[in-house]
Every structure is written in structure tokens, then in C-alpha cells.
Amino acid sequence: MLSETDFIANSISSDIYQGIFTWSAPSNIALVKYWGKKQDQIPANPSISFTLNNCKTITKLGFSKRHFDKLSENNSTFSFDLLFEGKPKEEFKPKIQKFFERIEKYCPYLKNYHFTIDTQNTFPHSSGIASSASGMAALAMNIMSLEKELNPEMSADFFYKKASFLARLGSGSACRSIKGAVVAWGEHQEIKESSNLFGVAFSPELHSVFHNYQDTILLVDKGEKQVSSTVGHDLMHNHPFAEQRFLQAPQNLSKLKLVLENGNLDEFIKIVESEALTLHAMMMTSMPYFILMKPNTLEILNKIWKYRNETKIPVCFTLDAGANVHVLYPEQYKNETLQFIKDELVGYCQNGQYICDEIGFGSQLILEN
Ligand code: DP6
């Protein structure tokens, strides 16, 4: 079992002066939700997600070794420029600064370099789709590419584990955007090699019904969320139902593990929809309480239930920390479900917008140094 100290890069065997890497990393959608955490981004309960394929962040990391001419000049600060779609984006810098501070202990070489981070998303800006998971994952992959140059003997297994470990320190759910179609994060007795420190790809064979599983994301509200996930997680401290929730999530994960192997979609739907509504129930019952769903979110959920009842097509929903609805269904029902979405659900989406996505496999190297 790897512990935190195993991720400290304390010896560097090679030197590199400059270079550029580019990685893409996808978004992911949790089936069993992570909501509540302890110190140092340790989850209060294990979670599991589908990795997406089309919603991604693409990040180019340029780096060059810094020169410290005078004795008075020391490398006590991080040095980086942040660009979004090629243009400087000052507002994003504090987030990256904080990320660097959190990971410095594990990547002590960071202050030796000046970085140019150029990032873009494949999904529309402010679509309400969180870019923190894909963004932090893409940046973590790039940093690990640099570390691999510094320590070329690093194994591929360690490379991906540490990338997930670093991404987690940026944003918890980001650790599930590194590698694998279905990724579990958080210790769980029945999930092999599961860890609170990084995500692990679900290793039993995934039932064929989940291959190319579809996720059509209905953009109900693209505005800024009133309450960030980080604040929401914090409200699980002293939450009246937290204890019960932290017992329920691992039980749901046990049940879902079986379902992912046996393909029982009735069970899948029950677990996944219940998890989504429980997440929002936690928000409604915290102090202060808040609601992130919108009236149109509820309209959509009711339409999905009605359609499923009438057609027996196993389409269901999940929600993240916002008003958007993820519509999940097997690829075999793609045509009729998309028709249903166009006929009955698009009217509830802001500007009629939705994004067609499906299960993907994780981050990808686009450009090597
Ligand atoms: C509702 O990973 O965004 O999407 O760790 O504070 O960055 P931080 O939170 P974040 O929380 C995600 C919450 C969720 C559920 C999930 O993805 O499991």
C-alpha cells in the first residue's frame, strides 16, 4: 500500500532545462457521490464515477529552468503565467497558486522552473460543467510528464498513481479523471487496491451493457453556482445526517460494484438516482441550507420517470453539484432516447443546449517534449 510519503520526489536523477507537454483530461460523473471530506482532501466516503469522453480540458505546459543570478534572489516563489484559450487569465491564478502550494511537498522541483500554462475546454465556457476535475487532472498529468523527465526510471503504474494523487490535491473528484472508464476513489473493502489518496480503475470486467454507456448532459442553468462544492463539502461537518450518509455511500458502492459486473439495470437505476437525490438532500439539510436544482431540473426528472415507465427503456439521471441533469442510458437505446430528449427535454434547457457524451478512458498525451 502506498502512503503519502511514497509520493515525495526526493531524488532527481536527471536534469532538464526546458520543454513543453500537452495533455487532455476528461470530466467525470460520479455514480456514488463524494460529498464531505477530511483534512488534506481525504474523502469522507468512497465514490465511483464514469469517465467522460468528450467533455475535456486540454492543457499545454511550457517550462524553463529559472536562473537565480544574485544571492539575494532565491527560489521562494512559484513562477507561472496562466492562459485560458491563449489569453492571460489572472482570475485563474490563485487556484493554481494554491494547487502548487499543496503539491510542493511532493514535487519539490516546481520552484526551479517558470511555467506557462495554457488551458482550454472542449465544452462551452460557463456551461455549469465543472472544469476543476478535468483541469486539475490535465495539469497533474503535465507535471508528472516533467517529473518523469527528471526521474526517467519511474514506472508507468507510479506515474498514473501519482498523477491521480496530485490531481486529488487540486480537486477531489479530479483524481477520478486520470485513467480508466470507471474509477473508484476512497478505501473500500471490496475494491482492490482502493485508496483515499488516489483513484483506481475498476478492475472487474465491466458488463457489456455499460460499454459506450451514454451521458447526455442537459444544460439547465449555466450561471455561477451560489454555493461552491468546497463550501458544500465543508457543511458536511456537523451535518445532522452525515454519519448515516458516510455509512450509506460504501453500501451503495458494494451494491453498484455487483451491478457493474452483472448488468442489472433496474438496480443500477435505483442506486444512481438515489445517490443523486441524496447528494441534493444533503445540501437541503445542511446549515446553512441551499438548493442547487432549478424548477426545470425537477421537470426533467419527472419526464424521465414518466418516459421510463411508459417505454421500459432503462434511461435514468444523475446530478452533480448544480442544476444540470446527466441522462444516462445504454448505447443500444441511443436513437429513441435522443429523440425523447429533443421532443420533451430540450425545452427545459437554457438556450436549448445539451452535450452528448459517453464513457471514455481517461487522460491522453497530445504532445511530448
Ligand atoms: C458533487 O471534487 O469539486 O461532484 O474536492 O472541494 O474540489 P473539491 O470538490 P469537488 O466535489 C465534487 C462533488 C460532486 C460529487 C463527485 O464528483 O463525487
Side-chain angles (χ1 to χ4, degrees):
M1 258 280 265
L2 288 168
S3 72
E4 259 135 340
T5 48
D6 295 317
F7 291 106
I8 300 175
N10 37 26
S11 69
I12 276 164
S13 58
S14 149
D15 208 358
I16 173 155
Y17 290 91
Q18 60 178 19
I20 299 177
F21 293 106
T22 305
W23 278 88
S24 74
S27 187
N28 69 75
I29 181 69
L31 304 171
V32 171
K33 307 290 182 182
Y34 148 58
W35 198 245
K37 60 178 159 182
K38 304 177 199 167
Q39 190 79 36
D40 297 328
Q41 299 278 100
I42 299 301
N45 63 257
S47 58
I48 195 164
S49 53
F50 279 162
T51 304
L52 297 185
N53 194 49
N54 303 333
C55 290
K56 338 184 238 209
T57 297
I58 300 160
T59 300
K60 182 163 95 179
L61 180 76
F63 58 92
S64 54
K65 196 124 189 211
R66 295 163 80 185
H67 299 287
F68 300 103
D69 298 333
K70 294 186 224 114
L71 269 179
S72 59
E73 268 185 39
N74 60 28
N75 52 351
S76 64
T77 54
F78 295 109
S79 174
F80 65 97
D81 296 317
L82 198 274
L83 310 174
F84 182 68
E85 295 176 346
K87 295 190 200 86
K89 191 92 174 171
E90 288 299 308
E91 306 97 278
F92 287 1
K93 283 188 90 172
K95 237 183 157 171
I96 306 295
Q97 172 74 25
K98 199 165 160 198
F99 176 56
F100 279 159
E101 285 165 14
R102 282 188 189 168
I103 67 169
E104 187 190 6
K105 180 175 163 196
Y106 307 100
C107 308
Y109 49 83
L110 287 177
K111 282 182 178 160
N112 299 340
Y113 291 93
H114 173 77
F115 295 104
T116 305
I117 305 163
D118 192 349
T119 188
Q120 65 190 86
N121 298 326
T122 58
F123 43 90
H125 186 48
S126 78
S127 55
I129 296 180
S131 59
S132 65
S134 53
M136 289 300 173
L139 185 53
M141 293 310 299
N142 279 307
I143 291 171
M144 285 312 295
S145 275
L146 167 59
E147 186 170 318
K148 175 121 174 88
E149 295 275 315
L150 297 171
N151 276 331
E153 67 285 1
M154 179 191 299
S155 72
D157 183 58
F158 182 83
F159 176 87
Y160 283 103
K161 279 187 177 139
K162 184 165 175 183
S164 177
F165 175 90
L166 297 179
R168 180 193 109 249
L169 293 171
S171 178
S173 56
C175 78
R176 299 187 312 237
S177 279
I178 300 293
K179 196 171 188 248
V182 181
V183 181
W185 167 41
E187 280 166 25
H188 189 280
Q189 275 187 344
E190 294 156 36
I191 308 249
K192 249 180 43 197
E193 290 184 24
S194 59
S195 168
N196 285 336
L197 302 179
F198 48 83
V200 293
F202 183 75
S203 55
E205 196 166 339
L206 198 60
H207 189 277
S208 59
V209 77
F210 296 110
H211 295 170
N212 306 322
Y213 218 70
Q214 302 290 302
D215 179 3
T216 305
I217 309 166
L218 307 179
L219 305 179
V220 173
D221 188 72
K222 304 190 291 167
E224 267 296 288
K225 279 187 275 181
Q226 298 107 325
V227 183
S228 73
S229 289
T230 304
V231 171
H233 286 293
D234 208 36
L235 292 173
M236 288 304 280
H237 294 291
N238 306 316
H239 189 292
F241 306 132
E243 206 182 310
Q244 189 54 40
R245 166 61 192 155
F246 299 149
L247 289 175
Q248 179 199 42
Q251 288 166 1
N252 278 345
L253 187 43
S254 295
K255 290 185 200 158
L256 191 65
K257 179 178 181 276
L258 284 179
V259 166
L260 292 172
E261 292 171 77
N262 68 23
N264 181 339
L265 289 182
D266 289 338
E267 267 302 298
F268 178 80
I269 289 170
K270 271 192 220 159
I271 300 164
V272 168
E273 291 191 343
S274 163
E275 273 289 320
L277 294 179
T278 301
L279 168 70
H280 284 259
M282 291 298 114
M283 301 174 189
M284 289 188 233
T285 50
S286 62
M287 191 57 75
Y289 41 81
F290 57 105
I291 301 183
L292 295 183
M293 289 186 285
K294 297 283 177 192
N296 280 350
T297 311
L298 295 182
E299 296 284 356
I300 291 169
L301 304 196
N302 280 303
K303 289 270 179 175
I304 290 175
W305 284 333
K306 185 161 174 275
Y307 179 76
R308 189 167 75 220
N309 246 328
E310 286 169 3
T311 62
K312 307 295 170 217
I313 291 176
V315 44
C316 73
F317 67 83
T318 189
L319 305 164
D320 55 18
N324 296 339
V325 181
H326 289 248
V327 186
L328 303 175
Y329 50 97
E331 189 188 27
Q332 123 185 54
Y333 299 107
K334 193 170 169 176
N335 291 342
E336 47 273 64
T337 309
L338 279 176
Q339 198 56 52
F340 156 63
I341 289 171
K342 282 181 205 149
D343 293 345
E344 298 198 42
L345 304 184
V346 157
Y348 299 113
C349 299
Q350 212 172 351
N351 307 323
Q353 274 188 291
Y354 62 94
I355 297 173
C356 293
D357 212 331
E358 60 186 359
I359 274 200
F361 299 94
S363 56
Q364 281 173 327
L365 180 62
I366 293 174
L367 178 79
E368 203 154 358
N369 191 33

